[in-house]
Amino acid sequence: MHAGEISNLAQAQSLGEFLLDQDCLFVSGDSCLLGQGIKHRFNLPIANTDYLVNELQAQLRQHQGDDDNVIAFGVLPFCKYQTAQFIIPKHVAKWDKSVFSQWLNTQTADANHQKNTLKNVHYLQDRKHFEQTVSDAKQLFKKALLEKIVLSKQVELEFERPLNRKHVLNQLLTQSQSGYHFAFPTEHDSVLMGVSPELLLRKQDETVTSNPLAGSIPRDPCNKVEAQRRSALFNSKKDRYEHAVVIDDMRQLLAPVCDNLSIPAEPSLLHTATMWHLSTVISGHLRDPETHILDLANQLHPTPALCGKPTKPAYQHILDLEGHGRGLFSGIVGWCDQQGNGEWVVVIRCGELKEHVAKLFAGAGIVAASDPSSEWLETEAKLKTMLNALSVQQAYTQFNK
């Protein structure tokens, strides 16, 4: 460790203990934004974007104090008729990701990491239910009612002892080097945490960036199989179509507010610890640099990557087919400042942890060519990020035999 890193780590340790019931975290690239303590917690409706932005800005001004760099961390739910949760922290610190990881290691070094036994697995949408919803959705495509719909499942894991949430977060940071790590203490005494691979929107002054993902395949430890899967995904007509649907929608929403909107002609491949995705990085310059990030992010949310297309009918069919509300899952989580800058990512590869229970979430994009069994297996693969962080991948597999 270099002298500068030692100094930074010492400063970080001087901030005190990392408390997941009070502290917010957002990691982007090599940078870690940490909000410590809760100065003010509030909720805002998200159905009206103008109202959301105006009220959020008013709250930031009201609680600015002596800090010109006051920011709000927040999470917007999937359902537009529910309310967003926001936290203005007492203190905000920005650290190098590696330094924060070292600090978090010191926070968990003395913790009791005795194996926490998985007692029960409960699907809110079991395999039979999920595969039937995929079959039902395919009938909607035949009737030309939809082009795409995203169907999801939720599973609750019950443990013998309370979860060590800092240890789970530390595992996420260790096992998933890429992506956007986040932790947000909800108003229901749970912690929403995960590592999202998908950037909905980043804004810095007049520059905006988005990185939608659609089209996925599980990774494989065998190099030969891994290469075959990359090729299969990139050349899959089904997955390329699913991806194109998302990109077309993003273009329609961003083109009117941007100059020089850059969208590559074809996607690239992006990998996480467990999955390969079709990925497109979109960038542009806002015609009005004063545009607030949530002016755009709330209009983009939910994208076809999390909902479907056309969005409104897909949204309604999701509510009918899934049978359970998604809550914060497949919403967006992030932060913004008084200048309207910030970053927001989609709430996937995540879990909501409370006492002895971890509720996990996974979804899959469904198009006319989708196979119900394959889509179920894709959702199982997407759960591995959190299952590995919880150290229960093998135990979870045994429950499902």
Side-chain angles (χ1 to χ4, degrees):
M1 190 185 301
H2 298 299
E5 292 176 331
I6 295 173
S7 175
N8 284 341
L9 181 56
Q11 291 176 32
Q13 289 171 331
S14 72
L15 290 174
E17 189 177 3
F18 182 48
L19 304 173
L20 273 170
D21 59 345
Q22 298 181 31
D23 298 343
C24 301
L25 174 72
F26 190 90
V27 179
S28 173
D30 294 328
S31 177
C32 170
L33 196 62
L34 174 64
Q36 290 198 289
I38 299 176
K39 185 175 185 179
H40 181 54
R41 180 192 285 276
F42 58 101
N43 289 28
L44 291 174
I46 61 174
N48 184 309
T49 297
D50 288 342
Y51 179 84
L52 168 67
V53 171
N54 289 336
E55 288 300 307
L56 175 57
Q57 290 293 80
Q59 292 285 347
L60 285 169
R61 288 193 298 270
Q62 182 179 345
H63 294 88
Q64 178 176 340
D66 297 326
D67 188 356
D68 291 333
N69 297 315
V70 63
I71 69 169
F73 292 85
V75 57
L76 277 61
F78 174 72
C79 178
K80 288 285 192 173
Y81 298 105
Q82 296 176 343
T83 58
Q85 299 179 38
F86 290 97
I87 290 174
I88 298 176
K90 293 178 180 177
H91 306 286
V92 177
K94 189 172 183 180
W95 299 101
D96 182 86
K97 178 183 175 180
S98 62
V99 173
F100 176 79
S101 295
Q102 293 161 19
W103 180 41
L104 188 58
N105 275 324
T106 67
Q107 296 280 305
T108 59
D110 298 328
N112 179 10
H113 296 327
Q114 179 183 349
K115 185 176 180 180
N116 196 352
T117 303
L118 181 62
K119 286 178 57 178
N120 188 41
V121 174
H122 171 64
Y123 284 105
L124 276 68
Q125 297 92 357
D126 62 17
R127 182 165 188 165
K128 181 179 179 181
H129 176 115
F130 181 85
E131 291 186 357
Q132 185 60 53
T133 63
V134 175
S135 297
D136 292 344
K138 286 167 70 73
Q139 296 303 312
L140 299 173
F141 301 134
K142 289 181 179 180
K143 298 175 183 177
L145 297 176
L146 294 176
E147 295 178 52
K148 174 185 175 178
I149 189 170
V150 179
L151 297 175
S152 69
K153 68 183 181 191
Q154 297 174 51
V155 56
E156 293 181 345
L157 309 183
E158 182 183 359
F159 293 81
E160 280 191 351
R161 296 181 290 108
L163 292 162
N164 185 326
R165 296 180 293 194
K166 281 194 288 190
H167 179 61
V168 177
L169 179 60
N170 196 34
Q171 290 286 94
L172 280 172
L173 283 161
T174 301
Q175 296 174 16
S176 300
Q177 297 299 314
S178 61
Y180 301 84
H181 296 77
F182 59 88
F184 185 91
T186 77
E187 60 188 1
H188 302 299
D189 299 322
S190 64
V191 175
L192 180 71
M193 69 168 65
V195 51
S196 176
E198 186 166 354
L199 173 68
L200 177 72
L201 196 68
R202 175 189 300 120
K203 176 184 179 288
Q204 180 59 50
D205 302 323
E206 75 279 0
T207 302
V208 290
T209 307
S210 181
N211 185 195
L213 310 178
S216 308
I217 197 168
R219 298 193 66 180
D220 193 276
C222 173
N223 290 336
K224 183 177 180 180
V225 175
E226 181 88 328
Q228 291 171 344
R229 291 191 175 185
R230 288 199 306 268
S231 177
L233 176 61
F234 191 78
N235 294 294
S236 165
K237 290 183 179 180
K238 176 258 182 187
D239 290 287
R240 291 291 288 263
Y241 173 74
E242 180 186 339
H243 192 82
V245 167
V246 174
I247 300 307
D248 287 345
D249 196 67
M250 299 290 285
R251 180 185 289 108
Q252 291 176 28
L253 287 165
L254 291 176
V257 298
C258 287
D259 292 318
N260 304 318
L261 186 65
S262 173
I263 303 179
E266 64 178 17
S268 57
L269 289 170
L270 178 147
H271 69 81
T272 68
T274 60
M275 302 291 295
W276 282 99
H277 299 280
L278 292 178
S279 163
T280 297
V281 176
I282 300 171
S283 61
H285 287 82
L286 291 169
R287 292 173 182 166
D288 180 4
E290 300 300 317
T291 302
H292 194 284
I293 186 169
L294 283 179
D295 270 327
L296 301 176
N298 195 38
Q299 292 184 63
L300 292 170
H301 166 64
T303 73
L306 275 295
C307 183
K309 188 174 181 178
T311 302
K312 288 185 178 179
Y315 177 84
Q316 186 56 55
H317 286 297
I318 286 171
L319 299 180
D320 295 338
L321 290 168
E322 291 187 352
H324 292 87
R326 293 185 180 180
L328 300 177
F329 294 133
S330 71
I332 57 175
V333 63
W335 64 273
C336 54
D337 62 20
Q338 286 182 293
Q339 290 72 46
N341 298 314
E343 289 181 287
W344 292 80
V345 300
V346 297
V347 182
I348 55 175
R349 310 297 190 276
C350 61
E352 194 169 351
L353 280 56
K354 183 176 182 179
E355 298 177 350
H356 298 70
V357 176
K359 182 186 286 188
L360 311 185
F361 168 90
I366 312 301
V367 294
S370 294
D371 171 68
S373 178
S374 297
E375 300 298 345
W376 170 265
L377 294 176
E378 179 178 318
T379 61
E380 286 289 276
K382 288 175 176 176
L383 289 178
K384 288 183 179 179
T385 298
M386 285 302 299
L387 292 173
N388 289 335
L390 290 160
S391 303
V392 292
Q393 173 64 61
Q394 186 174 356
Y396 173 84
T397 302
Q398 292 296 320
F399 263 96
N400 289 320
K401 283 188 175 179

